Amino acid sequence: MSLADILVHIDNSPSMPERLNSAILLAKKHAARVTGLYVITHQYYQPRSTGIEEMSTDARKLFDLKTRAAGVDARWLCADWSVVGVGSTEIICHHAHYTDLVVAGQFDPDSDEGKSVADLPERLISSAGRPVLVIPSSGSYENIGKKILVAWKAGRESTRAVNDAMPLLKRAEKVTLLAINSSDCYDDDESICSSIAEHLGRHGINAEVESIPALHTSVGDALLNRTFEEGYDLLVMGAFAHTPQGTLSLGTVARQMLRQMTVPVLFSH
């Protein structure tokens, strides 16, 4: 199991260069190809911007410059979608089906990029069929995957996230499985994480296990605090959960991470 194809969403937002840097860093580390995808959509009753060609050209110049400097295998795709009304999410997901990992950016409400889709990361996570690495809209991240924190809760979503993150976990210097319980009745490390830790051990991953209560804070805040205090550079977690009505919805913890993330987060569904 390895990363061979990485897709990064390219746009003209201020945070895009750092997002591209993160994708290139991973491509170089895993000897993978990085594909830069620039999307041009055609909305109903909205004339095409006269500057779109210039913006896509500028984005490609930056992509070519950075990938050449890094010496990675690279490919550029400009998806000028001819079907009116098809959005960015559908186009990105179409191309994501043929890659191992999608790199996207956190929505930045302060960005001047008027065409940003506020819920794009959420939509990609639910529809791409691939793990989605979301890069924060601010900051620089040069050591993604060196120290990884896994938010563990026995169930489908966490299991899927661990499996999707396996190529990164195998190369990490430190992996911690963290179980957080919001009640005062929680089991110890061994009972919560022992089975998944044993499974990772079969793949040569020596993961540490922790279990902590979150009695006076939210699970999301507990994750953010632990990530900051221990200097983790990547958080791995599931994203969706079943509602009492049986439907799937973005979990409250995942929703908070998408708003307040301070390190890159690998989401799976």
Side-chain angles (χ1 to χ4, degrees):
M1 187 180 297
S2 63
L3 292 180
D5 255 328
I6 298 173
L7 179 72
V8 56
H9 174 224
I10 302 293
D11 57 15
N12 300 100
S13 64
S15 60
M16 186 275 287
E18 284 301 331
R19 184 192 320 154
L20 176 56
N21 287 342
S22 297
I24 291 173
L25 181 152
L26 289 174
K28 191 168 185 178
K29 187 174 182 179
H30 293 266
R33 179 180 67 176
V34 59
T35 297
L37 175 62
Y38 190 96
V39 177
I40 300 174
T41 59
H42 301 261
Q43 302 299 324
Y44 290 115
Y45 311 119
Q46 183 177 359
R48 180 171 175 174
S49 171
T50 56
I52 192 67
E53 289 85 359
E54 291 80 1
M55 289 192 293
S56 63
T57 298
D58 291 343
R60 178 167 190 176
K61 286 179 180 178
L62 181 63
F63 177 83
D64 290 341
L65 179 66
K66 286 183 173 290
T67 54
R68 285 199 197 102
V72 297
D73 186 8
R75 178 179 61 154
W76 173 262
L77 289 177
C78 182
D80 188 349
W81 211 258
S82 60
V83 180
V84 174
V86 175
S88 299
T89 303
E90 292 82 0
I91 299 170
I92 298 172
C93 287
H94 170 77
H95 292 280
H97 295 160
Y98 314 108
T99 60
D100 299 313
L101 175 70
V102 180
V103 181
Q106 178 192 22
F107 174 67
D108 182 4
D110 298 323
S111 172
D112 293 329
E113 176 71 4
K115 294 184 179 179
S116 295
V117 181
D119 61 350
L120 178 62
E122 176 183 344
R123 289 174 178 268
L124 292 178
I125 295 164
S126 66
S127 304
R130 290 290 185 263
V132 179
L133 177 65
V134 182
I135 307 298
S137 59
S138 61
S140 179
Y141 306 94
E142 299 178 356
N143 292 307
I144 298 176
K146 189 175 182 180
K147 293 179 65 177
I148 302 177
L149 181 66
V150 179
W152 176 253
K153 181 180 180 180
R156 181 199 179 282
E157 296 297 328
S158 292
T159 303
R160 182 76 261 164
V162 168
N163 187 75
D164 286 343
M166 200 71 77
L168 299 168
L169 299 175
K170 287 183 176 181
R171 290 177 175 267
E173 294 181 7
K174 179 180 180 179
V175 175
T176 302
L177 298 162
L178 179 63
I180 301 175
N181 198 305
S182 57
S183 73
D184 56 1
C185 298
Y186 65 98
D187 297 326
D188 57 25
D189 299 342
E190 290 298 320
S191 60
I192 293 177
C193 299
S194 60
S195 295
I196 188 62
E198 180 183 359
H199 171 67
L200 291 178
R202 297 296 300 171
H203 288 272
I205 301 167
N206 183 24
E208 300 177 5
V209 296
E210 293 184 38
S211 177
I212 62 173
L215 302 181
H216 307 292
T217 186
S218 69
V219 173
D221 286 340
L223 276 175
L224 288 169
N225 292 340
R226 183 55 61 95
T227 300
F228 174 76
E229 292 166 358
E230 302 296 330
Y232 290 100
D233 53 52
L234 178 64
L235 175 63
V236 173
M237 63 183 296
F240 284 78
H242 282 92
T243 67
Q245 292 74 32
T247 59
L248 278 175
S249 175
L250 187 69
T252 56
V253 179
R255 194 177 301 278
Q256 182 178 355
M257 290 301 114
L258 285 173
R259 291 196 313 266
Q260 302 175 3
M261 63 173 60
T262 55
V263 298
V265 182
L266 183 74
F267 290 97
S268 282
H269 171 56

